[in-house]
Amino acid sequence: MSGTLSPIDKAKFVAAKRAVDYVEDGMKVGLGTGSTAAWMVKCLGEMVRNDGLKITGVATSTRTAELARQVGVPIVTLDEAKWLDLTIDGTDEYDHNLNLIKGGGAALLMEKIVATASDQMIVIADLSKQVETLGAFPLPVEVIPFGWQTTKALIEETLVNLDVLGRTASLRMNGASPCITDEGNYILDLHLRRIGNPRQLSLVMNQIPGVVENGLFIDICDVVVIGNGDGSVEVRDINNGTVEHEQIDVQETDNLFVDIAD
């Protein structure tokens, strides 16, 4: 096992493996985007193939949809599903109130829509994503391409009056071209360093013309499953006020530990 997964990948895997315990037969499940969420999708695929699990997935990106189909998880649109039992997704940061920064994978808009259309959101992460105060990770803001430089200037001007340490925004690039989301939009990364009032910032950002959505997930996450490199996990349920610690048995399979991209 130690030769197969690095400690960080093992931490992501055990978090994903523990999180899929929440999935029950017949559920409609939102499938997140990113390297940690990819482990979760592969775990669900194994349960579908080996255990006969019957679920319906709603993907938060085209690449998650492609992976789900590859491993045998049926995919429908959110309009077809209408409402979901739960969503499992990763995060770029989380604080003690389980508020999140997401969008490092440029899928924040679909991720937020899917998460808020679910009875429960479970976040899978490793300890490196835990922070006292959100903001060290640049906050992604999805904006329409038309007039994006004006939108950027408005955002930076607005930040002057908010409780943040940094006030610059940069256009996310994909090589020499702007990064394009699945919805055809751009991503501005806000380099804030510390966000004193995430709720206020989220509300204000979404009032700026040209802004589609921001990567602050406030009061959306119900449970965070934190994986560690030694195979242990911590499960924090903010609604029940519980913290549980478990050890996950990691069994190597033929298909699970290949083709996971960061």
Side-chain angles (χ1 to χ4, degrees), residues 223-242:
V223 176
V224 61
V225 181
I226 306 156
N228 298 295
D230 62 359
S232 64
V233 297
E234 180 179 303
V235 182
R236 301 181 191 173
D237 187 321
I238 196 166
N239 298 316
N240 294 332
T242 57

Side-chain angles (χ1 to χ4, degrees), residues 92-95 99-102 129-140 163-168 189-198 201 216:
D92 298 302
E93 281 188 349
Y94 65 92
D95 65 15
N99 293 319
L100 320 171
I101 286 181
K102 289 180 51 55
K129 306 298 175 61
Q130 179 177 300
V131 295
E132 287 297 319
T133 305
L134 297 176
F137 190 91
L139 175 65
D163 186 6
V164 295
L165 287 182
R167 295 176 176 85
T168 60
D189 289 311
L190 311 191
H191 305 276
L192 308 177
R193 293 159 43 202
R194 183 187 65 81
I195 301 172
N197 190 333
L201 177 61
L216 285 165

Side-chain angles (χ1 to χ4, degrees), residues 163-182:
D163 186 6
V164 295
L165 287 182
R167 295 176 176 85
T168 60
S170 60
L171 179 66
R172 188 180 299 181
M173 303 296 289
N174 182 12
S177 303
C179 173
I180 306 294
T181 70
D182 282 352

Side-chain angles (χ1 to χ4, degrees), residues 68-239:
R69 292 187 181 103
Q70 288 171 10
V71 300
V73 177
I75 294 295
V76 300
T77 67
L78 183 58
D79 287 335
E80 290 170 320
K82 294 185 173 59
W83 194 260
L84 307 178
D85 295 288
L86 61 86
T87 286
I88 305 176
D89 204 346
T91 189
D92 298 302
E93 281 188 349
Y94 65 92
D95 65 15
H96 65 282
N97 291 318
L98 303 195
N99 293 319
L100 320 171
I101 286 181
K102 289 180 51 55
L108 66 99
L109 177 58
M110 290 176 68
E111 288 173 334
K112 188 174 282 191
I113 292 171
V114 169
T116 54
S118 305
D119 288 335
Q120 187 177 36
M121 183 189 190
I122 299 167
V123 163
I124 47 181
D126 58 81
L127 267 178
S128 70
K129 306 298 175 61
Q130 179 177 300
V131 295
E132 287 297 319
T133 305
L134 297 176
F137 190 91
L139 175 65
V141 176
E142 187 158 342
V143 301
I144 65 169
F146 176 80
W148 73 266
Q149 294 186 62
T150 300
T151 304
K152 175 177 176 290
L154 287 170
I155 289 173
E156 291 177 331
E157 181 180 337
T158 301
L159 289 173
V160 172
N161 298 312
L162 296 174
D163 186 6
V164 295
L165 287 182
R167 295 176 176 85
T168 60
S170 60
L171 179 66
R172 188 180 299 181
M173 303 296 289
N174 182 12
S177 303
C179 173
I180 306 294
T181 70
D182 282 352
E183 293 75 40
N185 297 317
Y186 291 172
I187 296 286
L188 295 176
D189 289 311
L190 311 191
H191 305 276
L192 308 177
R193 293 159 43 202
R194 183 187 65 81
I195 301 172
N197 190 333
R199 189 183 306 277
Q200 178 193 43
L201 177 61
S202 179
L203 290 171
V204 170
M205 283 297 104
N206 283 8
Q207 296 303 309
I208 297 174
V211 170
V212 180
E213 188 54 84
N214 71 83
L216 285 165
F217 283 52
I218 310 298
D219 298 334
I220 296 176
C221 174
D222 299 286
V223 176
V224 61
V225 181
I226 306 156
N228 298 295
D230 62 359
S232 64
V233 297
E234 180 179 303
V235 182
R236 301 181 191 173
D237 187 321
I238 196 166
N239 298 316

